[in-house]
Structures are given as C-alpha cells and as structure tokens.
Amino acid sequence: VQDPASAAAPAAPRNAASLRELVAATSSDAPLSPELTCLAQAVYHEARGEPLDGQLAVAQVIVNRATSGRFPDDYCS
C-alpha cells in the first residue's frame, strides 16, 4: 500500500478530450498538482454560486484556453 503523502500528484492533462479526464485525475487521495489547484481556485472564484454544470463549463473554458495556443499553456497563468 502506497503512502498517500508520498504519492505523486496527478498531472493536469494538457489535451483533455473532456472534463471527465480532469475529474478522474483528481479522484484519488493524492494531493492535487499545482496546476489542478489553480484550476480549482479559478472555478471557485468564477463560478462558486453556479450549479455543477456551470462550474464544469467554466473549467472546460479554462482547459480549452490552455490548449488553444492563444493563451498561456498552463492553468496558473
């Protein structure tokens, strides 16, 4: 059994086909990677009063921008 404190944080998928991959990357007990923490904070600040579908839509926009080449290629920038 691997110690959760020593487990590697899940990497943020750069070319997520959908947000399902992103959610799957956060489904373990391992701590979030810095990029997924930035994404979670952005969703919280932009859509905290929205239902889950609205929050997921905001997250999808951020992921799309990061992969578009027209915006910074990470979630923290």
Side-chain angles (χ1 to χ4, degrees), residues 29-57:
D29 290 334
L32 293 178
S33 70
E35 283 208 19
L36 287 179
T37 299
C38 289
L39 180 61
Q41 289 174 343
V43 170
Y44 173 78
H45 289 291
E46 294 293 328
R48 66 178 166 253
E50 298 295 323
L52 180 59
D53 286 343
Q55 293 177 20
L56 290 173

Side-chain angles (χ1 to χ4, degrees), residues 5 21 61:
E21 292 175 28
V61 167

Side-chain angles (χ1 to χ4, degrees), residues 11-38:
R14 293 274 190 209
N15 56 355
S18 72
L19 226 38
R20 288 177 196 239
E21 292 175 28
L22 192 59
V23 171
T26 64
S27 296
S28 70
D29 290 334
L32 293 178
S33 70
E35 283 208 19
L36 287 179
T37 299
C38 289

